[in-house]
Amino acid sequence: MQHRSTKSPRPVSDTVFAFPPNRDTMGGTSYFILENSGNILVDCPAWDAENQEFLQEKGGIRWLFLTHRGAIGRVKEIQAAFGCEVLIQEQEAYLLPGLAVTSFQFEFILSPSSQAIWTPGHTPGSACLYHREQGGILFTGRHLLPNQQGEPVPLRIAKTFHWRRQLESIGKLRDRFSAETLQSICPGANTGFLRGQRKVDRAYEQLMQLDLEALREMKPGL
């Protein structure tokens, strides 16, 4: 029996929507991007009637992009319902046996506006989705999450695959973008710390404020 979400997907902007946290992915937040060349679903929302109806009304899904292994939910059902392509970094594609999956190594272009970027560390195949519209939005999965102040930070937990590699991935994002090309972050969890804002603003500025040297010495949390 399908359970229903307590809330409907909420707009982040005119073309980006955030789903309620999904208990199947440990409270992960997934996103839906309206694209002229085909809509993109970032990670798996709860597979309930309300979310299915929302996706149908918005024109379905062209791509389902998975930011990391912990965001894998009801992929099989989503692909069967919408005939979408599933995109995941190559090191974690084995977790989807029997499905038609597109994998990538470093980067992958989904559309003229959206690109997948490998950012290993949280997991071996952790990746972000960069959407160049609206000043540049980075969908970070659990690579970067808001802290209690709503600031985007890496979180070192017991299950972190490789902490130093995760920090190196942040450094590469800082080298890649600028204040003009990266204005927002849509994190894949901890969205309650955004206090209703639904995205992190001044994203590049806040990334540049991270002290990566100090973070290298951080001990794992829970």
Side-chain angles (χ1 to χ4, degrees), residues 46-85:
W47 191 235
D48 59 29
E50 189 168 12
N51 287 343
Q52 292 173 42
E53 183 178 352
F54 170 85
L55 292 168
Q56 290 283 6
E57 290 176 349
K58 293 297 183 182
I61 308 165
R62 172 73 173 84
W63 290 99
L64 168 54
F65 171 67
L66 297 166
T67 59
H68 68 293
R69 62 179 62 195
I72 296 173
R74 304 284 287 277
V75 176
K76 182 177 181 180
E77 290 89 340
I78 295 172
Q79 187 176 57
F82 292 100
C84 56
E85 295 193 56

Side-chain angles (χ1 to χ4, degrees), residues 14-34:
D14 290 344
T15 58
V16 177
F17 298 83
F19 289 87
N22 180 6
R23 65 189 186 194
D24 291 337
T25 57
M26 298 181 65
T29 296
S30 63
Y31 296 88
F32 182 74
I33 308 169
L34 286 170

